[in-house]
Amino acid sequence: MSATITIETSDHTQGVDITRQVQEAVEAACLSDGVCVVYVTHTTAAVAVNEAADPAVMEDVFAALDRLVPWDGPYAHKEGNSAAHIKSVLVGSSVHLPVYDGRLQLGTWQGIFFMEFDGPRRRRVLVKTVTNDWE
Ligand code: ZN
């Protein structure tokens, strides 16, 4: 089973907590025991699991990425958004999450974040569920 989450980002860089939507996709797929893959179909965005309790944590992550990969190059890519492409590579396009008893097995403080690096844009995130429920 697969589901698509559509996200309209409103800022140039932005973290969007998509934990609830991913859990809903797991429930819609009737997945009880298995794995859920969350995949971002873009080259200037990413997905990560990190702390969802304190918004300052993701703020720090974005700020650290900005220090590591400044927007102004020099870069070879002429579109002018190389920093966003590089951040996408560093953070990654997918995460795998274990599912047990129909629930994402996230830790107490963990959430799933879509990470926008070149918005605002309309974005697509795929949620693919793989079952272990073999009869
Ligand atoms: Zn580009």
Side-chain angles (χ1 to χ4, degrees), residues 11-123:
D11 290 324
H12 188 241
T13 59
Q14 184 181 358
V16 181
D17 187 339
I18 57 170
T19 311
R20 184 180 52 79
Q21 292 97 314
V22 176
Q23 177 62 45
E24 285 170 1
V26 165
E27 289 165 16
C30 297
L31 178 64
S32 172
D33 180 12
V35 175
C36 170
V37 179
V38 182
Y39 182 76
V40 170
T41 65
H42 304 281
T43 62
T44 56
V47 63
V49 172
N50 213 282
E51 175 163 338
D54 180 2
V57 172
M58 286 308 285
E59 200 177 303
D60 285 342
V61 170
F62 274 92
L65 286 168
D66 280 342
R67 289 193 297 275
L68 197 63
V69 188
W71 189 258
D72 297 321
Y75 300 113
H77 179 49
K78 299 300 181 209
E79 194 188 4
N81 62 353
S82 276
H85 290 290
I86 294 164
K87 289 174 187 173
S88 171
V89 168
L90 290 176
V91 176
S93 298
S94 69
V95 293
H96 299 65
L97 299 141
V99 174
Y100 181 70
D101 226 2
R103 304 292 305 172
L104 293 167
Q105 296 299 296
L106 290 165
T108 305
W109 308 111
Q110 287 181 318
I112 307 161
F113 289 91
F114 174 83
M115 296 176 72
E116 174 65 81
F117 298 125
D118 193 19
R121 292 179 194 243
R122 184 188 187 95
R123 300 296 203 172

